[in-house]
Amino acid sequence: MSGRSVEVALWKAGRLKIRYPAEVVTETATRLSVRAPWAAEGVRDFGFVRFEPGDVFVEHYWSDRWFTVKEVWSAEGRLKGWYCDITRPAEFGAAGVTVEDLDLDLWVSADGSEVLRLDEDEFAASGLAAADPEAAGRAMAALDELERLGRHGLVALLGRPAPAA
C-alpha cells in the first residue's frame, strides 16, 4: 500500500550497517519501492557524486534480483543519478525490507554519461568467492546486468521515462 511507513535494514558481512524509516511508493509481489531522506550523518563525497543532508532517495528493492537501485535526488529536486548495490534478493516483511549488501556497487550519472563499477577490490577481499561461490557468481552476473542496464535501459527497468539530457 502506497504511503505506509516501513523500515529499511541494510546488512553487510553479518552486521547491521544501517536502519532507517522510509515511505512506500509502490509495491508488487517481487518489488518494493520506497522514498527516504539521506539516512547517514553529514556529507559523503565519492568524487563523482555527493550524498548530503536534504537529498532524497527513491529506492527499489526486488525479492527476485541480486541488486537494488537507488535514485538520488537533490534537495532542490534535481536527479543526481542512480547508486546501485549488489545484494542478495531482498526480504519483504510487514515492517519493511531487509537486504544484504555484497560489496559491489555501480554508479550511473543522471545523464547516463558515467557508468562506474565500484568496490570490486572490496568484493574480492570479502572472501565470498571462497565461502559461497554460487552467490559470488550471481553477484558478478548482477553487476554485469546492471552495467548493461545503466548504459541502455535502467530507467525502463524502473518504469520511468528517461531523464532529459
Side-chain angles (χ1 to χ4, degrees):
M1 176 169 58
S2 182
R4 74 181 168 95
S5 294
V6 295
E7 184 176 82
V8 175
L10 178 64
W11 291 78
K12 187 170 182 175
R15 293 191 330 249
L16 181 64
K17 184 175 174 183
I18 190 167
R19 182 186 313 257
Y20 52 91
E23 179 182 304
V24 173
V25 176
T26 59
E27 64 184 306
T28 68
T30 59
R31 178 176 164 189
L32 179 68
S33 297
V34 301
R35 179 181 295 111
W38 167 238
E41 292 185 23
V43 173
R44 181 128 187 237
D45 190 340
F46 291 96
F48 50 86
V49 67
R50 286 170 51 101
F51 296 165
E52 49 204 336
D55 284 353
V56 175
F57 286 63
V58 178
E59 305 175 354
H60 307 276
Y61 299 92
W62 288 267
S63 61
D64 60 351
R65 293 181 183 257
W66 283 68
F67 57 77
T68 65
V69 176
K70 299 172 181 174
E71 299 174 41
V72 184
W73 296 85
S74 72
E76 297 77 32
R78 179 183 54 84
L79 179 64
K80 294 182 177 187
W82 297 270
Y83 196 91
C84 309
D85 290 315
I86 303 303
T87 66
R88 291 185 188 272
E91 296 178 12
F92 305 144
V97 61
T98 300
V99 67
E100 182 184 349
D101 186 336
L102 297 178
D103 293 312
L104 291 169
D105 301 299
L106 186 85
W107 169 253
V108 180
S109 63
D111 65 3
S113 65
E114 283 187 308
V115 179
L116 306 172
R117 292 170 73 110
L118 306 169
D119 302 327
E120 289 179 289
D121 55 340
E122 263 186 60
F123 179 73
S126 75
L128 186 64
D132 189 343
E134 181 181 346
R138 287 179 174 254
M140 289 304 299
L143 182 62
D144 292 342
E145 177 184 1
L146 269 175
E147 183 177 12
R148 280 191 304 278
L149 288 168
R151 296 185 190 288
H152 310 288
L154 187 58
V155 293
L157 171 70
L158 303 177
R160 296 177 180 248

mmCIF file of all heavy atoms in Angstrom, residues 2 5 9 20 24 27 31 33 37 44 51 53-55 59 61 66-67 83 89 101 118 130 133 143 152-153 164:
data_model
loop_
_atom_site.group_PDB
_atom_site.id
_atom_site.type_symbol
_atom_site.label_atom_id
_atom_site.label_comp_id
_atom_site.label_asym_id
_atom_site.label_seq_id
_atom_site.Cartn_x
_atom_site.Cartn_y
_atom_site.Cartn_z
ATOM 1 N N SER A 2 0.679 2.117 -0.948
ATOM 2 C CA SER A 2 1.456 3.331 -1.095
ATOM 3 C C SER A 2 1.250 4.264 0.097
ATOM 4 O O SER A 2 0.141 4.397 0.611
ATOM 5 C CB SER A 2 1.039 4.034 -2.390
ATOM 6 O OG SER A 2 1.801 5.183 -2.569
ATOM 7 N N SER A 5 4.425 3.634 6.170
ATOM 8 C CA SER A 5 5.788 3.709 6.684
ATOM 9 C C SER A 5 6.349 2.311 6.868
ATOM 10 O O SER A 5 5.642 1.410 7.329
ATOM 11 C CB SER A 5 5.814 4.447 8.025
ATOM 12 O OG SER A 5 5.440 5.783 7.830
ATOM 13 N N ALA A 9 16.389 -2.134 6.449
ATOM 14 C CA ALA A 9 17.535 -2.640 7.217
ATOM 15 C C ALA A 9 18.565 -3.171 6.234
ATOM 16 O O ALA A 9 18.278 -4.092 5.464
ATOM 17 C CB ALA A 9 17.098 -3.730 8.177
ATOM 18 N N TYR A 20 16.742 2.564 8.764
ATOM 19 C CA TYR A 20 16.105 3.876 8.667
ATOM 20 C C TYR A 20 14.660 3.738 8.190
ATOM 21 O O TYR A 20 14.303 2.770 7.532
ATOM 22 C CB TYR A 20 16.895 4.802 7.732
ATOM 23 C CG TYR A 20 17.185 4.228 6.371
ATOM 24 C CD1 TYR A 20 16.311 4.441 5.305
ATOM 25 C CD2 TYR A 20 18.332 3.470 6.149
ATOM 26 C CE1 TYR A 20 16.574 3.908 4.058
ATOM 27 C CE2 TYR A 20 18.604 2.943 4.897
ATOM 28 C CZ TYR A 20 17.717 3.174 3.861
ATOM 29 O OH TYR A 20 17.983 2.644 2.625
ATOM 30 N N VAL A 24 6.535 3.898 1.580
ATOM 31 C CA VAL A 24 6.311 3.087 0.394
ATOM 32 C C VAL A 24 5.782 3.961 -0.743
ATOM 33 O O VAL A 24 4.859 4.758 -0.552
ATOM 34 C CB VAL A 24 5.319 1.939 0.685
ATOM 35 C CG1 VAL A 24 4.940 1.198 -0.591
ATOM 36 C CG2 VAL A 24 5.913 0.980 1.705
ATOM 37 N N GLU A 27 4.476 -1.065 -4.565
ATOM 38 C CA GLU A 27 4.889 -2.423 -4.220
ATOM 39 C C GLU A 27 4.110 -3.428 -5.042
ATOM 40 O O GLU A 27 2.961 -3.214 -5.395
ATOM 41 C CB GLU A 27 4.767 -2.698 -2.724
ATOM 42 C CG GLU A 27 3.396 -2.654 -2.141
ATOM 43 C CD GLU A 27 3.416 -2.842 -0.633
ATOM 44 O OE1 GLU A 27 3.982 -3.838 -0.137
ATOM 45 O OE2 GLU A 27 2.848 -1.979 0.060
ATOM 46 N N ARG A 31 8.616 -6.582 -5.882
ATOM 47 C CA ARG A 31 9.332 -5.299 -5.855
ATOM 48 C C ARG A 31 8.703 -4.361 -4.837
ATOM 49 O O ARG A 31 7.484 -4.254 -4.741
ATOM 50 C CB ARG A 31 9.297 -4.652 -7.230
ATOM 51 C CG ARG A 31 9.969 -3.298 -7.282
ATOM 52 C CD ARG A 31 9.969 -2.774 -8.702
ATOM 53 N NE ARG A 31 10.259 -1.366 -8.741
ATOM 54 C CZ ARG A 31 10.161 -0.632 -9.826
ATOM 55 N NH1 ARG A 31 9.785 -1.172 -10.964
ATOM 56 N NH2 ARG A 31 10.442 0.637 -9.791
ATOM 57 N N SER A 33 9.276 -0.290 -3.688
ATOM 58 C CA SER A 33 9.954 0.990 -3.904
ATOM 59 C C SER A 33 9.561 1.917 -2.769
ATOM 60 O O SER A 33 8.380 2.041 -2.434
ATOM 61 C CB SER A 33 9.547 1.600 -5.251
ATOM 62 O OG SER A 33 9.951 0.762 -6.308
ATOM 63 N N PRO A 37 14.751 10.113 3.143
ATOM 64 C CA PRO A 37 15.818 11.114 3.113
ATOM 65 C C PRO A 37 17.170 10.437 3.320
ATOM 66 O O PRO A 37 17.241 9.309 3.832
ATOM 67 C CB PRO A 37 15.483 12.031 4.283
ATOM 68 C CG PRO A 37 14.693 11.173 5.217
ATOM 69 C CD PRO A 37 13.948 10.187 4.358
ATOM 70 N N ARG A 44 28.701 12.627 2.292
ATOM 71 C CA ARG A 44 29.573 11.555 1.802
ATOM 72 C C ARG A 44 29.936 11.906 0.366
ATOM 73 O O ARG A 44 29.074 11.891 -0.508
ATOM 74 C CB ARG A 44 28.865 10.210 1.873
ATOM 75 C CG ARG A 44 29.731 9.069 1.400
ATOM 76 C CD ARG A 44 29.788 7.956 2.404
ATOM 77 N NE ARG A 44 30.749 6.975 1.976
ATOM 78 C CZ ARG A 44 30.478 5.702 1.776
ATOM 79 N NH1 ARG A 44 29.273 5.245 1.984
ATOM 80 N NH2 ARG A 44 31.416 4.882 1.388
ATOM 81 N N PHE A 51 26.517 12.716 -1.517
ATOM 82 C CA PHE A 51 25.267 12.485 -0.797
ATOM 83 C C PHE A 51 25.310 13.433 0.391
ATOM 84 O O PHE A 51 26.319 13.481 1.106
ATOM 85 C CB PHE A 51 25.161 11.053 -0.289
ATOM 86 C CG PHE A 51 25.112 10.005 -1.379
ATOM 87 C CD1 PHE A 51 25.326 8.681 -1.058
ATOM 88 C CD2 PHE A 51 24.851 10.317 -2.700
ATOM 89 C CE1 PHE A 51 25.277 7.688 -2.031
ATOM 90 C CE2 PHE A 51 24.792 9.337 -3.683
ATOM 91 C CZ PHE A 51 25.012 8.022 -3.343
ATOM 92 N N PRO A 53 22.834 15.978 3.458
ATOM 93 C CA PRO A 53 21.545 16.237 4.087
ATOM 94 C C PRO A 53 20.627 16.979 3.111
ATOM 95 O O PRO A 53 21.056 17.871 2.383
ATOM 96 C CB PRO A 53 21.912 17.115 5.291
ATOM 97 C CG PRO A 53 23.317 16.686 5.624
ATOM 98 C CD PRO A 53 23.963 16.430 4.283
ATOM 99 N N GLY A 54 19.373 16.553 3.091
ATOM 100 C CA GLY A 54 18.401 17.133 2.172
ATOM 101 C C GLY A 54 18.175 16.273 0.941
ATOM 102 O O GLY A 54 17.138 16.385 0.285
ATOM 103 N N ASP A 55 19.161 15.424 0.588
ATOM 104 C CA ASP A 55 18.973 14.518 -0.543
ATOM 105 C C ASP A 55 17.839 13.549 -0.223
ATOM 106 O O ASP A 55 17.616 13.184 0.935
ATOM 107 C CB ASP A 55 20.238 13.702 -0.829
ATOM 108 C CG ASP A 55 21.329 14.495 -1.529
ATOM 109 O OD1 ASP A 55 21.081 15.655 -1.935
ATOM 110 O OD2 ASP A 55 22.441 13.950 -1.675
ATOM 111 N N GLU A 59 14.241 4.287 -3.521
ATOM 112 C CA GLU A 59 14.981 3.027 -3.512
ATOM 113 C C GLU A 59 14.096 1.888 -3.998
ATOM 114 O O GLU A 59 12.957 1.761 -3.556
ATOM 115 C CB GLU A 59 15.482 2.741 -2.093
ATOM 116 C CG GLU A 59 16.309 3.888 -1.543
ATOM 117 C CD GLU A 59 16.727 3.718 -0.104
ATOM 118 O OE1 GLU A 59 16.296 2.741 0.561
ATOM 119 O OE2 GLU A 59 17.488 4.563 0.373
ATOM 120 N N TYR A 61 13.757 -2.200 -4.451
ATOM 121 C CA TYR A 61 14.219 -3.497 -3.955
ATOM 122 C C TYR A 61 13.417 -4.599 -4.638
ATOM 123 O O TYR A 61 12.216 -4.466 -4.825
ATOM 124 C CB TYR A 61 14.007 -3.600 -2.436
ATOM 125 C CG TYR A 61 14.776 -2.564 -1.662
ATOM 126 C CD1 TYR A 61 14.209 -1.345 -1.324
ATOM 127 C CD2 TYR A 61 16.090 -2.801 -1.284
ATOM 128 C CE1 TYR A 61 14.919 -0.389 -0.626
ATOM 129 C CE2 TYR A 61 16.813 -1.849 -0.581
ATOM 130 C CZ TYR A 61 16.225 -0.649 -0.254
ATOM 131 O OH TYR A 61 16.940 0.298 0.434
ATOM 132 N N TRP A 66 19.356 -9.749 -7.737
ATOM 133 C CA TRP A 66 20.525 -9.643 -6.874
ATOM 134 C C TRP A 66 21.065 -8.213 -6.847
ATOM 135 O O TRP A 66 22.265 -7.986 -6.803
ATOM 136 C CB TRP A 66 21.592 -10.640 -7.314
ATOM 137 C CG TRP A 66 21.266 -12.041 -6.888
ATOM 138 C CD1 TRP A 66 20.247 -12.821 -7.357
ATOM 139 C CD2 TRP A 66 21.922 -12.801 -5.894
ATOM 140 N NE1 TRP A 66 20.243 -14.032 -6.708
ATOM 141 C CE2 TRP A 66 21.266 -14.053 -5.807
ATOM 142 C CE3 TRP A 66 23.015 -12.568 -5.065
ATOM 143 C CZ2 TRP A 66 21.668 -15.043 -4.922
ATOM 144 C CZ3 TRP A 66 23.415 -13.565 -4.192
ATOM 145 C CH2 TRP A 66 22.739 -14.783 -4.122
ATOM 146 N N PHE A 67 20.165 -7.230 -6.855
ATOM 147 C CA PHE A 67 20.595 -5.833 -6.753
ATOM 148 C C PHE A 67 19.461 -4.947 -6.271
ATOM 149 O O PHE A 67 18.296 -5.347 -6.273
ATOM 150 C CB PHE A 67 21.152 -5.308 -8.080
ATOM 151 C CG PHE A 67 20.214 -5.402 -9.264
ATOM 152 C CD1 PHE A 67 19.159 -4.507 -9.430
ATOM 153 C CD2 PHE A 67 20.404 -6.375 -10.227
ATOM 154 C CE1 PHE A 67 18.325 -4.579 -10.526
ATOM 155 C CE2 PHE A 67 19.573 -6.459 -11.334
ATOM 156 C CZ PHE A 67 18.522 -5.550 -11.484
ATOM 157 N N TYR A 83 22.520 5.081 -7.647
ATOM 158 C CA TYR A 83 23.527 4.308 -6.938
ATOM 159 C C TYR A 83 22.949 2.912 -6.774
ATOM 160 O O TYR A 83 21.884 2.743 -6.174
ATOM 161 C CB TYR A 83 23.856 4.921 -5.575
ATOM 162 C CG TYR A 83 25.135 4.376 -5.007
ATOM 163 C CD1 TYR A 83 26.345 5.013 -5.270
ATOM 164 C CD2 TYR A 83 25.153 3.228 -4.242
ATOM 165 C CE1 TYR A 83 27.538 4.515 -4.765
ATOM 166 C CE2 TYR A 83 26.331 2.718 -3.737
ATOM 167 C CZ TYR A 83 27.525 3.369 -4.002
ATOM 168 O OH TYR A 83 28.709 2.862 -3.512
ATOM 169 N N PRO A 89 18.855 -11.194 -2.904
ATOM 170 C CA PRO A 89 17.475 -10.747 -3.075
ATOM 171 C C PRO A 89 16.902 -10.234 -1.749
ATOM 172 O O PRO A 89 17.163 -10.793 -0.680
ATOM 173 C CB PRO A 89 16.756 -12.012 -3.551
ATOM 174 C CG PRO A 89 17.830 -12.763 -4.297
ATOM 175 C CD PRO A 89 19.076 -12.534 -3.469
ATOM 176 N N ASP A 101 24.035 -6.432 1.673
ATOM 177 C CA ASP A 101 24.963 -5.808 0.727
ATOM 178 C C ASP A 101 26.147 -6.749 0.484
ATOM 179 O O ASP A 101 26.736 -7.264 1.423
ATOM 180 C CB ASP A 101 25.450 -4.486 1.323
ATOM 181 C CG ASP A 101 26.299 -3.662 0.394
ATOM 182 O OD1 ASP A 101 26.918 -4.220 -0.537
ATOM 183 O OD2 ASP A 101 26.361 -2.442 0.603
ATOM 184 N N LEU A 118 32.083 -0.096 -9.044
ATOM 185 C CA LEU A 118 32.727 0.329 -7.797
ATOM 186 C C LEU A 118 32.969 -0.855 -6.865
ATOM 187 O O LEU A 118 32.206 -1.819 -6.861
ATOM 188 C CB LEU A 118 31.832 1.353 -7.079
ATOM 189 C CG LEU A 118 31.407 2.564 -7.905
ATOM 190 C CD1 LEU A 118 30.319 3.343 -7.189
ATOM 191 C CD2 LEU A 118 32.606 3.442 -8.202
ATOM 192 N N ALA A 130 35.191 -17.654 -2.095
ATOM 193 C CA ALA A 130 35.597 -18.917 -1.477
ATOM 194 C C ALA A 130 34.487 -19.484 -0.590
ATOM 195 O O ALA A 130 34.240 -20.689 -0.588
ATOM 196 C CB ALA A 130 36.865 -18.713 -0.652
ATOM 197 N N PRO A 133 30.671 -19.662 -3.527
ATOM 198 C CA PRO A 133 30.952 -19.403 -4.936
ATOM 199 C C PRO A 133 29.706 -19.129 -5.775
ATOM 200 O O PRO A 133 29.747 -18.305 -6.692
ATOM 201 C CB PRO A 133 31.656 -20.669 -5.421
ATOM 202 C CG PRO A 133 32.055 -21.417 -4.210
ATOM 203 C CD PRO A 133 31.184 -20.950 -3.084
ATOM 204 N N LEU A 143 26.118 -7.481 -11.355
ATOM 205 C CA LEU A 143 26.873 -6.263 -11.678
ATOM 206 C C LEU A 143 26.956 -6.071 -13.192
ATOM 207 O O LEU A 143 26.748 -4.970 -13.703
ATOM 208 C CB LEU A 143 28.266 -6.305 -11.058
ATOM 209 C CG LEU A 143 29.132 -5.068 -11.287
ATOM 210 C CD1 LEU A 143 28.495 -3.817 -10.669
ATOM 211 C CD2 LEU A 143 30.528 -5.294 -10.730
ATOM 212 N N HIS A 152 21.920 1.179 -21.152
ATOM 213 C CA HIS A 152 20.829 1.015 -22.128
ATOM 214 C C HIS A 152 19.514 0.605 -21.499
ATOM 215 O O HIS A 152 18.909 -0.361 -21.935
ATOM 216 C CB HIS A 152 21.204 -0.056 -23.166
ATOM 217 C CG HIS A 152 22.545 0.127 -23.771
ATOM 218 N ND1 HIS A 152 22.826 1.113 -24.672
ATOM 219 C CD2 HIS A 152 23.694 -0.553 -23.584
ATOM 220 C CE1 HIS A 152 24.095 1.029 -25.037
ATOM 221 N NE2 HIS A 152 24.640 0.043 -24.388
ATOM 222 N N GLY A 153 19.032 1.279 -20.483
ATOM 223 C CA GLY A 153 17.690 0.908 -20.057
ATOM 224 C C GLY A 153 17.402 0.853 -18.580
ATOM 225 O O GLY A 153 16.416 0.241 -18.185
ATOM 226 N N ALA A 164 15.571 13.992 -19.132
ATOM 227 C CA ALA A 164 16.007 14.880 -20.216
ATOM 228 C C ALA A 164 17.493 15.136 -20.066
ATOM 229 O O ALA A 164 17.999 15.304 -18.961
ATOM 230 C CB ALA A 164 15.231 16.193 -20.148
#
